[in-house]
Amino acid sequence: MLEGSLPLQEGPSDGPVYPTVIQQARMNMRKFENCVVLTRMGGFYELYFEHAEEYGPLLNLKVATKKTTAGPVAMAGFPFFQLERFLKILVQDLNKYVAISEEFPNNASEKVKSGGLLFDRKVTRVITPGTLVDEKFMNPYENNFILAIHPELLDHGSPLRASGMAEGNPSVVAAKQRIGLAWLDLSTGAFFTQVTTLDILASAVARIRAREIILSKIINHNMKQCILASLGHEQHLVTWQPGFQRDMSITDWDLMLETPVSYADQAIFTEHEVLAGNILLEYVSDKLQGRAMKLQPPVKRHEAENMCIDRNSLRGLEILETFRDATAGGRGSLLHAIRRTVTKSGARLLRERLDLINHRLDLVERFLQSQSLREDITNLLRRTFDSQRLVQKFSLGRGDADDLISLLRTVVATEHIANVLREALAEKSGFDLMEKDAENCLSLVMKRLSLKGPGELALRISEAIDEDGLMASHREERIQSSSVITMAQGVLNAEGDEEDLQAMSQVVRSKTAAKSSNQTSSEEEDLWIMRRTASPILQRLHETLDSLRDERLLLTTRLRSEMQAQSLTLRWTPGLGHICHVKGVKDVRASLNNHGSARNGSTTKSTRSFYLSEWSALGNRMDQVKMQMRAEEQRVFFELRELVVTNLVKLRRNAAVLDELDVACSSAVLAAEQSLVRPTVNNGTNHKIIAGRHPTVKIGLEEQGRTFTSNDCFVGEKQNVWLITGPNMAGKSTFLRQNALISILAQVGSFVPAEHAEIGIVDQMFSRVGSADNLFEDQSTFMVEMLETATILKHATRRSFVIMDEVGRGTTPEDGIAVAFACLHHLYHTNHCRTLFATHFHVLADMTDDWKGLGCYCTDVSESSSGSSSGSSSGSFSYVYRLRHGVNRQSHALKVAKLAGIPVSAINVASQVLSSSREPTTVEQEKQIQRVARA
């Protein structure tokens, strides 16, 4: 775990020392002792000492030994252009922290101090899983959050420290202990805070899905144990941060925010949130090594404003990922089934909205009713780039000319989108949606767009950057790196795998071809990424350079005539400088004698080169002008970068609008594809669904050529609990999950899979489905089930929606029935929440027979006449997935066992046991059941 960098303490040494470069690497390794240090050495990044020995084999790098006067040094390295690949392995796959040490040119005095070294090497950034910015291996469809957790500070007289509790026992800490949360995505600048409590911390962390969690070392031991226990077995990456370097208030955050937090807004943040924010910002600033950042102002999240989905429900309902595939948005998850977004940032917003209250249904319906409007907006959105992350790159000083072009195209697409919306607003009729609502939803979007500043920025970028020159510059960069690639080819031949060699071969071929085709032109042309009209100074310099080029052309013509050598060219080469070059074997020595300032250069069998003072003087003047042009281009680029930062707020607001349009169009496309309907969301507690469908199971069945059986559900004020019985495999769990997912979709702002849906606002969604143990924490399957059940019974309110499947099955039938009845009793009499309760304990229907607010419903099996009533399945049967009122007292488990391939002999034995064990319930047993039910 990363625990911050420690100051280097170098003692005097009279013995042999390592070479300066290796000594620099050693010092960085000691200063950043918890990081893998990658040191730039020309065209390579290298690891030294124990880092090479430990990580070289993990990275499939050959570990060599360098002999020095201080002893042998282990070393391993890779070409600089493969940095992203190895960062992915180290940071994303191995969860390591990586310090990047870059080269910086030494001035004259620094060269003397360093013993003649041309470069110094300094760590410019520490990369951790939670502090990624623009790395190519980031998931573009998911936020990369880093989360800080800080509990309420307790003084020495508090019960937590003074009660003499047993060390490390989480149960002694009050469940309502307040916890401050602060999390941000460094790649987009999004910044949030929230206050939660210890007992629901795990669910809050599960919703945020942070890549890295920061905890302060100053938290006392008991609280550390409580927090770690609450995080559970989810394998979170936890980093321990030293105590606060300095006390900070929200006002001190202003330097790191795009706009300061007003005094009025500061009052809404609690002390716990501020402390968590301080830890988070200190940590991120340290990893950026002094680089400035501009985050969005912190947004305080309130649990009461959103539907809270606990950790178990996120997993059990397969909202973000499935049991089989832990990848976010994987096939079979709700997110995969409903995602029709066309932009990466839109996909991230859709993922965030899975715990937000419905606010966009009018916009979705407007796009659903106008296919042409939806398609126009979608096509324009495809032309945009991930401007949230682009803008953040510029705020961190990392944007380049290509990013400016991407911003330009995004702004232009945004202007076209605004025009399309403006035209749509001019259409006053023709829609089922009330005209006023249709106009309002689009006009609200229009009002949030800021076009003036970004429009001026886009115009300035288009006037300044030459896209053709930029593309040519990239080609030239690939050609110039051919020498490094040749070196890398040798390295990969020795230690690379087949994939590396194939990739390298393609690069070498492309670069060799590019070099061959561009060899002549690259000698004659200079590449500029800025237009000559980008600034008055640049235009004047271009005119001067054109004049000097004309002089060179005249000089070339004159020399060719005087020396009678039509192949003569005026060149510059790195080794020889400004030379006159002649092809062929023609002897030009006699002509050279006529030029007193000429002197011989290099000569081969087919070429001759010589120096001429006229060309040397003219060439130096051209070089001086080019240097001034490069400097002016750099100045213009930095000016554009500053202009982007100036428009930071407007660009981010526009990006947020584009994301919302993308999600709304996505929802409309989904509604059209799947025949979804607009739900009515109100403040009641009814859940009225007609012909509801499971959003992911339906798709899976249709791919197999099967149909999905829809079902109604009317749970709420009249019957707040439905007790559901039925055979195994007959759809009870699917029915439970589909109603929970329909509620979530409605409050996300999406249309829902049903013919009609009327849903009261849900404050918390709970599910107890599936079975799994947690052996790592010594928890059996039944214990895990009881922990999840306890969370539901303690936190469900009248507005909550609860689904519980097979509670009590992990123990004996007697104990299971007792536990299941107790849970049902508590939900009905204490929580008063909307509940779907599926069970195979049919006696529960008898025990709750006089509960007026409980309805009994069941699925069934349809058997042929040869089917055995005892449960043996000698005849054919089919499942009846349609729910009916009543109780099904047979689970038909043997039918499922036979379908699963249990041997027939075993099935026959089971059938005999089942027949002999079915005895009628005695009168005394019936009376006992009634007494328990009425207790």
Side-chain angles (χ1 to χ4, degrees):
M1 293 181 181
L2 187 62
E3 298 185 2
S5 57
L6 299 180
L8 178 66
Q9 296 179 352
E10 286 289 334
S13 176
D14 297 329
V17 295
Y18 294 112
T20 307
V21 173
I22 295 179
Q23 185 64 22
Q24 287 176 337
R26 169 59 83 187
M27 292 172 64
N28 284 330
M29 288 172 64
R30 290 179 179 173
K31 185 177 181 181
F32 300 90
E33 63 173 359
N34 298 287
C35 301
V36 182
V37 178
L38 301 180
T39 303
R40 181 70 180 263
M41 288 290 292
F44 290 82
Y45 282 101
E46 297 188 349
L47 299 95
Y48 297 100
F49 299 103
E50 60 270 22
H51 285 183
E53 295 172 345
E54 181 179 356
Y55 299 108
L58 293 176
L59 300 175
N60 199 25
L61 298 175
K62 182 179 180 180
V63 180
T65 302
K66 180 181 179 67
K67 294 182 180 179
T68 72
T69 57
V73 176
M75 57 184 295
F78 55 86
F80 74 94
F81 51 79
Q82 288 192 318
L83 177 63
E84 289 275 347
R85 175 195 168 198
F86 289 101
L87 280 179
K88 178 184 182 299
I89 297 173
L90 289 169
V91 178
Q92 183 165 289
D93 300 340
L94 300 178
N95 278 337
K96 300 298 180 183
Y97 310 106
V98 178
I100 307 293
S101 178
E102 297 287 1
E103 293 179 331
F104 294 90
N106 280 330
N107 56 34
S109 62
E110 290 170 340
K111 287 180 184 178
V112 174
K113 293 179 181 179
S114 63
L117 285 181
L118 297 177
F119 297 96
D120 187 16
R121 287 164 183 84
K122 301 176 183 177
V123 172
T124 58
R125 184 181 166 207
V126 177
I127 301 175
T128 71
T131 57
L132 303 178
V133 176
D134 60 350
E135 283 67 27
K136 292 182 176 61
F137 55 82
M138 292 178 64
N139 186 345
Y141 301 105
E142 192 173 28
N143 285 104
N144 196 79
F145 284 128
I146 179 170
L147 166 69
I149 301 175
H150 200 281
E152 181 180 12
L153 288 178
L154 301 172
D155 57 36
H156 293 284
S158 67
L160 183 60
R161 297 196 178 187
S163 61
M165 65 184 66
E167 284 290 317
N169 184 1
S171 63
V172 300
V173 180
K176 295 303 179 182
Q177 173 76 36
R178 289 179 295 179
I179 306 288
L181 305 178
W183 67 99
L184 62 84
D185 183 346
L186 194 57
S187 68
T188 65
F191 185 14
F192 303 95
T193 71
Q194 180 182 332
V195 174
T196 186
T197 53
L198 187 62
D199 55 345
I200 58 175
L201 174 63
S203 296
V205 172
R207 289 194 297 271
I208 296 169
R209 293 173 64 86
R211 283 296 315 278
E212 186 177 358
I213 296 176
I214 312 300
L215 290 173
S216 174
K217 287 184 176 181
I218 67 172
I219 302 174
N220 70 77
H221 177 72
N222 287 330
M223 181 53 68
K224 286 180 184 178
Q225 294 299 106
C226 292
I227 293 176
L228 293 177
S230 182
L231 295 178
H233 59 284
E234 300 295 330
Q235 301 300 315
H236 298 287
L237 174 63
V238 177
T239 299
W240 295 97
Q241 173 77 342
F244 300 109
Q245 303 297 318
R246 62 188 182 92
D247 292 331
M248 287 196 302
S249 64
I250 295 185
T251 305
D252 297 314
W253 297 358
D254 290 349
L255 293 176
M256 293 172 272
L257 304 177
E258 62 183 20
T259 55
V261 181
S262 67
Y263 287 109
D265 290 339
Q266 289 182 22
I268 69 174
F269 296 96
T270 66
E271 177 188 7
H272 330 302
E273 290 171 291
V274 175
L275 290 172
N278 289 345
I279 295 173
L280 181 63
L281 295 178
E282 273 192 12
Y283 179 81
V284 172
S285 298
D286 179 62
K287 301 310 147 226
L288 293 176
Q289 290 292 292
R291 185 175 296 169
M293 61 177 168
K294 291 294 181 183
L295 303 172
Q296 299 175 42
V299 176
K300 183 180 177 71
R301 288 278 178 87
H302 297 275
E303 291 183 349
E305 294 176 353
N306 309 318
M307 176 195 286
C308 294
I309 307 175
D310 75 315
R311 176 177 59 180
N312 302 320
S313 300
L314 281 172
R315 184 172 57 247
L317 295 175
E318 298 184 311
I319 295 173
L320 303 177
E321 59 193 25
T322 65
F323 290 114
R324 301 173 302 281
D325 182 8
T327 304
R331 184 175 179 82
S333 67
L334 175 64
L335 183 57
H336 179 272
I338 69 172
R339 186 167 66 199
R340 298 296 186 276
T341 52
V342 297
T343 66
K344 298 170 183 177
S345 51
R348 291 197 301 270
L349 179 63
L350 179 60
R351 185 233 177 275
E352 290 177 14
R353 279 203 178 166
L354 289 175
D355 62 355
L356 299 178
I357 302 298
N358 153 43
H359 188 60
R360 296 290 184 268
L361 288 173
D362 284 344
L363 193 59
V364 175
E365 186 160 358
R366 182 67 171 86
F367 285 130
L368 178 62
Q369 293 177 348
S370 178
Q371 182 178 353
S372 61
L373 174 61
R374 182 174 74 242
E375 291 177 349
D376 289 344
I377 296 295
T378 300
N379 290 333
L380 288 170
L381 286 171
R382 294 182 192 278
R383 302 181 192 175
T384 66
F385 292 79
D386 195 344
S387 51
Q388 290 275 18
R389 285 183 168 164
L390 282 175
V391 170
Q392 185 65 6
K393 284 175 66 175
F394 281 102
S395 75
L396 294 169
R398 292 175 61 91
D400 55 23
D402 294 292
D403 295 325
L404 287 173
I405 295 298
S406 298
L407 270 182
L408 162 66
R409 292 173 180 166
T410 299
V411 172
V412 171
T414 303
E415 291 174 339
H416 289 322
I417 287 174
N419 291 333
V420 170
L421 294 177
R422 213 173 276 117
E423 293 173 2
L425 279 170
E427 300 176 7
K428 298 292 184 180
S429 60
F431 298 103
D432 296 333
L433 186 65
M434 292 181 60
E435 186 176 309
K436 183 178 180 181
D437 292 338
E439 185 175 351
N440 281 344
C441 65
L442 294 182
S443 62
L444 288 174
V445 171
M446 281 291 302
K447 288 177 182 177
R448 293 172 55 198
L449 287 173
S450 301
L451 301 177
K452 184 178 180 182
E456 294 171 352
L457 169 64
L459 180 61
R460 182 72 182 101
I461 293 173
S462 63
E463 291 175 346
I465 295 183
D466 183 353
E467 293 190 52
D468 293 335
L470 183 60
M471 294 176 63
S473 176
H474 291 327
R475 288 195 297 269
E476 183 66 19
E477 288 172 359
R478 290 194 293 269
I479 293 171
Q480 290 176 355
S481 65
S482 59
S483 60
V484 177
I485 293 176
T486 303
M487 253 195 310
Q489 182 78 37
V491 174
L492 292 177
N493 284 333
E495 57 193 68
D497 54 28
E498 185 177 350
E499 181 183 351
D500 293 330
L501 290 171
Q502 290 178 353
M504 179 58 67
S505 299
Q506 294 173 359
V507 172
V508 172
R509 286 197 300 270
S510 65
K511 292 183 185 301
T512 303
K515 185 174 183 179
S516 174
S517 62
N518 289 280
Q519 186 171 7
T520 303
S521 61
S522 63
E523 293 172 353
E524 301 296 333
E525 297 180 3
D526 294 296
L527 301 175
W528 310 100
I529 64 172
M530 296 292 174
R531 300 181 189 274
R532 60 171 57 208
T533 56
S535 75
I537 296 176
L538 202 55
Q539 186 166 6
R540 176 175 56 79
L541 290 172
H542 271 285
E543 292 171 355
T544 303
L545 183 61
D546 290 342
S547 176
L548 293 174
R549 281 174 173 163
D550 291 340
E551 289 186 37
R552 184 179 70 172
L553 182 60
L554 292 173
L555 178 60
T556 302
T557 304
R558 179 167 62 82
L559 291 175
R560 285 175 177 173
S561 175
E562 291 176 354
M563 298 184 179
Q564 297 182 359
Q566 294 303 311
S567 64
L568 183 145
T569 58
L570 302 180
R571 295 183 176 183
W572 177 90
T573 65
L576 299 175
H578 294 94
I579 59 171
C580 301
H581 185 268
V582 179
K583 291 182 180 179
V585 294
K586 181 178 178 60
D587 189 354
V588 294
R589 284 179 293 180
S591 301
L592 289 178
N593 292 332
N594 296 329
H595 292 271
S597 61
R599 58 188 177 87
N600 279 321
S602 64
T603 302
T604 67
K605 291 182 179 181
S606 59
T607 65
R608 179 183 296 275
S609 61
F610 58 90
Y611 295 96
L612 194 64
S613 58
E614 290 180 81
W615 168 229
S616 297
L618 178 60
N620 288 332
R621 289 165 57 197
M622 292 178 69
D623 289 344
Q624 187 66 29
V625 173
K626 291 176 183 177
M627 287 177 60
Q628 295 175 4
M629 292 170 67
R630 302 285 182 204
E632 178 61 14
E633 279 200 342
Q634 194 73 357
R635 188 197 66 78
V636 172
F637 173 74
F638 282 122
E639 180 185 273
L640 292 173
R641 181 183 281 178
E642 290 176 359
L643 195 57
V644 172
V645 175
T646 302
N647 287 276
L648 200 63
V649 176
K650 293 179 180 178
L651 289 169
R652 279 177 170 162
R653 287 175 181 170
N654 289 350
V657 173
L658 296 184
D659 293 346
E660 291 194 18
L661 287 172
D662 190 18
V663 171
C665 288
S666 166
S667 299
V669 170
L670 180 69
E673 289 177 354
Q674 301 293 331
S675 301
L676 310 185
V677 298
R678 175 173 180 163
T680 300
V681 182
N682 53 45
N683 289 323
T685 56
N686 274 326
H687 180 88
K688 182 179 180 181
I689 306 296
I690 298 178
R693 310 181 295 275
H694 194 292
T696 61
V697 174
K698 175 181 178 293
I699 295 174
L701 289 176
E702 288 176 346
E703 290 178 351
Q704 301 172 31
R706 301 164 60 190
T707 58
F708 184 89
T709 302
S710 59
N711 270 302
D712 302 339
C713 181
F714 307 108
V715 63
E717 294 177 359
K718 292 184 178 180
Q719 288 185 336
N720 64 306
V721 177
W722 273 25
L723 182 64
I724 302 165
T725 55
N728 295 105
M729 294 285 294
K732 299 189 302 298
S733 296
T734 300
F735 177 74
L736 266 60
R737 287 180 169 96
Q738 80 184 34
N739 281 282
L741 294 176
I742 286 173
S743 292
I744 293 171
L745 286 175
Q747 295 192 200
V748 165
S750 171
F751 282 28
V752 299
E755 291 184 4
H756 174 81
E758 181 181 335
I759 299 171
I761 290 288
V762 176
D763 62 353
Q764 298 179 87
M765 178 66 65
F766 295 102
S767 74
R768 158 81 285 283
V769 296
S771 61
D773 55 28
N774 182 7
L775 299 181
F776 180 76
E777 295 187 7
D778 194 26
Q779 295 174 356
S780 66
T781 301
F782 185 68
M783 182 60 177
V784 171
E785 177 184 317
M786 289 299 97
L787 288 171
E788 296 176 1
T789 301
T791 299
I792 296 173
L793 299 184
K794 287 191 289 187
H795 296 288
T797 70
R798 185 178 293 272
R799 284 199 171 276
S800 299
F801 195 97
V802 174
I803 62 172
M804 302 192 78
D805 191 13
E806 308 299 344
V807 173
R809 64 179 163 186
T811 184
T812 64
E814 295 79 6
D815 288 350
I817 291 173
V819 170
F821 177 78
C823 292
L824 197 58
H825 186 277
H826 197 281
L827 290 167
Y828 183 86
H829 292 284
T830 305
N831 299 106
H832 305 288
C833 54
R834 286 162 283 187
T835 302
L836 300 179
F837 196 100
T839 185
H840 284 291
F841 297 142
H842 315 124
V843 70
L844 293 179
D846 302 321
M847 299 173 72
T848 59
D849 183 57
D850 59 345
W851 294 7
K852 296 181 179 179
L854 182 143
C856 291
Y857 295 84
C858 65
T859 56
D860 218 330
V861 162
S862 176
E863 298 182 273
S864 66
S865 58
S866 58
S868 172
S869 60
S870 67
S872 176
S873 48
S874 56
S876 62
F877 71 96
S878 61
Y879 289 110
V880 179
Y881 297 105
R882 183 84 64 190
L883 255 71
R884 63 176 176 83
H885 190 276
V887 179
N888 190 327
R889 297 184 182 275
Q890 293 192 43
S891 293
H892 298 278
L894 299 189
K895 293 182 172 60
V896 177
K898 185 175 181 180
L899 288 176
I902 299 294
V904 175
S905 59
I907 296 292
N908 292 335
V909 171
S911 180
Q912 294 172 9
V913 172
L914 183 63
S915 298
S916 62
S917 64
R918 278 181 172 163
E919 299 177 356
T921 305
T922 66
V923 176
E924 184 59 31
Q925 287 176 324
E926 288 284 354
K927 292 180 179 179
Q928 178 67 19
I929 289 173
Q930 294 299 325
R931 283 197 295 270
V932 172
R934 293 189 176 92

